[in-house]
Amino acid sequence: DAMVIQNPRYQVTQFGKPVTLSCSQTLNHNVMYWYQQKSSQAPKLLFHYYDKDFNNEADTPDNFQSRRPNTSFCFLDIRSPGLGDAAMYLCATSREGLKNTEAFFGQGTRLTVV
Amino acid sequence: GDSVTQMEGPVTLSEEAFLTINCTYTATGYPSLFWYVQYPGEGLQLLLKATKADDKGSNKGFEATYRKETTSFHLEKGSVQVSDSAVYFCALTAANTGNQFYFGTGTSLTVIP
């Protein structure tokens, strides 16, 4: 089945140690998103790619970076994780050009910072 | 800017009770509206959607009608089950939102036997 896959499901990292979360999709969607979701809150958009065009939200900290080497893969890099970065990170895709298409989400990566 | 305002929770219902979760939106264009559901420890799954005024989205016994006159997209289910316990998010996207999806704050639903 076509889907959005995030790896790993659970990630533990040390305070200040760089960490990378990955997302892959088999939907061939041209838009990919990274959301941060803290407990009992709505997902917060960090950035998204429209094809290769990177769009950063104004309030996304510089500590968060992203790479999209090809259509299928997108990575979230946290350069120096702090305790406040512990959250669920959600990857999503959508197909721009298809009218009113929805966003398809992966299962998320739960990041713990120790 | 575009936004979604969602009924605050948590909501606790007995099995077979009627469910309504309110959602209103603000949008400058003509948004598409969505309800997503999130089970514990999981990502978001699309529950239903509506793309134009008066459309009714439905799935798994849940329904929501796109009401342009009241800018609302309330989620309803006639008889909830324990398995419906989850967090529900209302969301919108529109041509002028730059591919962004705007989410409400989520409503936690617990259904007790």
Side-chain angles (χ1 to χ4, degrees), chain B residues 2-64:
Chain B
D2 293 3
S3 66
V4 175
T5 301
Q6 194 172 333
M7 166 182 170
E8 292 186 13
V11 174
T12 302
L13 294 174
S14 297
E15 205 165 21
E16 299 183 2
F18 184 85
L19 169 72
T20 299
I21 301 177
N22 290 338
C23 172
T24 57
Y25 67 90
T26 302
T28 53
Y30 298 93
S32 294
L33 302 173
F34 307 86
W35 277 101
Y36 281 85
V37 58
Q38 186 176 35
Y39 299 100
E42 302 291 328
L44 276 68
Q45 301 174 24
L46 179 69
L47 181 60
L48 53 83
K49 68 177 182 181
T51 59
K52 62 183 187 296
D54 299 325
D55 268 3
K56 178 186 284 188
S58 61
N59 185 26
K60 300 180 181 179
F62 291 89
E63 292 183 342

Side-chain angles (χ1 to χ4, degrees), chain A residues 16-40:
Chain A
K17 184 176 181 180
V19 65
T20 295
L21 310 182
S22 70
C23 177
S24 64
Q25 55 130 338
T26 59
L27 296 161
N28 201 33
H29 284 172
N30 57 342
V31 188
M32 294 187 77
Y33 309 80
W34 278 106
Y35 287 87
Q36 180 193 63
Q37 186 182 26
K38 296 190 175 180
S39 181
S40 303

Side-chain angles (χ1 to χ4, degrees), chain A residues 6-112:
Chain A
Q6 290 187 245
N7 284 304
R9 289 290 309 275
Y10 302 92
Q11 175 74 58
V12 180
T13 190
Q14 291 181 332
F15 182 95
K17 184 176 181 180
V19 65
T20 295
L21 310 182
S22 70
C23 177
S24 64
Q25 55 130 338
T26 59
L27 296 161
N28 201 33
H29 284 172
N30 57 342
V31 188
M32 294 187 77
Y33 309 80
W34 278 106
Y35 287 87
Q36 180 193 63
Q37 186 182 26
K38 296 190 175 180
S39 181
S40 303
Q41 296 183 21
K44 177 182 180 299
L45 183 65
L46 296 173
F47 23 61
H48 73 279
Y49 278 92
Y50 183 108
D51 294 320
K52 293 185 177 181
D53 292 336
F54 177 70
N55 299 272
N56 196 33
E57 292 301 293
D59 58 353
T60 298
D62 292 341
N63 198 26
F64 291 85
Q65 304 286 319
S66 185
R67 295 170 284 136
R68 188 180 186 185
N70 55 52
T71 300
S72 300
F73 287 89
C74 196
F75 300 98
L76 170 61
D77 301 309
I78 308 177
R79 293 191 297 185
S80 181
L83 297 179
D85 297 328
M88 174 79 90
Y89 289 87
L90 297 168
C91 175
T93 72
S94 70
R95 180 76 182 273
E96 180 68 7
L98 279 182
K99 189 178 179 184
N100 304 315
T101 185
E102 65 264 31
F104 293 79
F105 283 82
Q107 290 188 296
T109 294
R110 170 76 63 187
L111 178 68
T112 301

